[in-house]
Amino acid sequence: MATMVLDIGGTAIKSGIYADGNVTELKETPTEALHGGPHVVSRAKDIIAGYQKNCPFDRIGISTAGQVDPAKGCIIYANENIPGYTGTKLKDIMEEEFQVPVAVENDVNAAAIGEASFGAGRGQKDFVCLTYGTGVGGAMFLNGKLYHGSSYSAGEFGGIVTHPEDRDPAQDLFSGCYERYASTTALVKLAMEFDPALSDGRAIFGRREEPKVQQIIDKWMMEIVYGLVTIIHMVNPSCAILGGGVLEQPYVLQQVKEKLKQNIMPSFRHVEIKKAELGNKAGMLGAAMLDGIAGK
């Protein structure tokens, strides 16, 4: 049986056909998210319809930005990266349109499911998964199952307060929080204050030999460690899987491992720090494995 899979992000919608453990017919389409939720849904419909002509499928799995109620397949909350997306009944819309079973999950949760099934999480019963990009996203597997929490929003690790001295929730609900300091966005902001030419991770790490740039990178990596210290002491996972473009740098992963071990209690130092293995396919592979369509 073939599954149509989508991974809806703020920048792009990745799509493909899943069968027999692999995703083929890969495409990437601009989300045009600032046009709003209804426009994004329309884009997704058009993509699926395009596949339907030449690649028959029996079900649809969707990984998407935003907090998701997987039981109802709707968007509980999405920030202004996709205006008007909150409340979208994605499952109902797509089932009515295409007349096949549809399952919907948050993108980081879907990526964690993908890693558990096919990647760095295989064989791990208790692990956390974090992605460092525009913000910091997270997911938890406890006793072999994805943990959703009481309102399907567990794993919002980006909201851990790491700098209470900067906290001002009236102005910014995430002020003083982990993602304001440990995200790729935070690294770029720091670097551009030194040199506006350092506008992305590749440019920053290309100049790592410069003492000031090295100092900026070291400061940012310690911000990653500060949040992980809290998460690991709280959840006690056997493994922490770290993803995001900048985490592809072997130097970053090695330094985070070393600094983390120095900052956690000895009884927690068995935790394995691993790089996410599935890259851009993680969300789509996870979407294919969602309850209700995966034949579990």
Side-chain angles (χ1 to χ4, degrees), residues 15-288:
S15 58
I17 298 292
Y18 170 87
D20 301 322
N22 196 23
V23 180
T24 59
E25 306 294 333
L26 291 167
K27 295 180 183 177
E28 192 165 303
T29 308
T31 308
E32 299 178 352
L34 293 181
H35 290 294
H39 179 79
V40 171
V41 172
S42 178
R43 299 280 282 175
K45 282 182 179 179
D46 289 344
I47 291 166
I48 296 169
Y51 278 87
Q52 197 173 38
K53 294 174 184 177
N54 302 308
C55 304
F57 52 81
D58 308 286
R59 51 213 173 181
I60 299 170
I62 300 175
S63 159
T64 180
Q67 295 175 2
V68 174
D69 178 339
K72 295 179 180 178
C74 68
I75 309 301
I76 300 170
Y77 172 76
N79 62 26
E80 287 309 301
N81 289 338
I82 308 181
Y85 199 41
T86 299
T88 300
K89 297 180 179 180
L90 209 49
K91 174 182 169 69
D92 290 348
I93 291 168
M94 295 304 181
E95 286 187 341
E96 181 177 347
E97 183 78 12
F98 297 102
Q99 298 298 304
V100 296
V102 176
V104 184
E105 183 56 273
N106 163 266
D107 51 2
V108 184
N109 284 348
I113 293 168
E115 293 289 346
S117 302
F118 303 102
R122 281 175 297 183
Q124 304 282 350
K125 291 183 67 177
D126 299 283
F127 71 88
V128 293
C129 184
L130 291 98
T131 58
Y132 298 85
T134 304
V136 176
M140 292 186 283
F141 259 71
L142 303 179
N143 199 27
K145 294 182 178 181
L146 179 70
Y147 178 70
H148 279 107
S150 62
S151 62
Y152 305 108
S153 303
E156 281 285 355
F157 299 136
I160 294 170
V161 176
T162 55
H163 287 267
E165 71 279 7
D166 295 336
R167 189 84 177 127
D168 185 2
Q171 295 297 318
D172 174 8
L173 203 55
F174 275 75
S175 59
C177 290
Y178 190 35
E179 75 170 41
R180 291 289 184 261
Y181 305 89
S183 61
T184 305
T185 302
L187 170 63
V188 171
K189 181 181 177 183
L190 274 177
M192 289 184 70
E193 288 172 0
F194 167 65
D195 183 347
L198 297 173
S199 58
D200 59 43
R202 185 171 299 174
I204 294 166
F205 281 90
R207 290 171 56 183
R208 184 164 65 87
E209 298 306 315
E210 297 179 28
K212 178 60 178 178
V213 176
Q214 180 68 70
Q215 184 181 356
I216 290 167
I217 293 170
D218 287 345
K219 180 179 180 180
W220 169 73
M221 288 190 300
M222 281 308 301
E223 296 292 351
I224 292 177
V225 170
Y226 295 148
L228 287 174
V229 168
T230 297
I231 293 163
I232 287 165
H233 281 147
M234 184 180 297
V235 181
N236 191 26
S238 61
C239 176
I241 299 169
L242 310 184
V246 181
L247 269 296
E248 293 295 321
Q249 298 279 342
Y251 172 76
V252 174
L253 196 70
Q254 186 57 41
Q255 287 295 304
V256 167
K257 286 180 181 181
E258 291 178 10
K259 299 297 183 185
L260 183 65
K261 292 293 171 72
Q262 298 167 13
N263 282 276
I264 56 177
M265 288 187 278
S267 54
F268 289 79
R269 291 178 188 165
H270 66 283
V271 64
E272 191 175 4
I273 307 301
K274 301 174 89 174
K275 180 172 74 71
E277 294 179 4
L278 302 179
N280 284 339
K281 289 186 178 181
M284 289 184 287
L285 284 165

Side-chain angles (χ1 to χ4, degrees), residues 7-21:
D7 186 1
I8 301 173
T11 303
I13 301 174
K14 295 182 282 290
S15 58
I17 298 292
Y18 170 87
D20 301 322

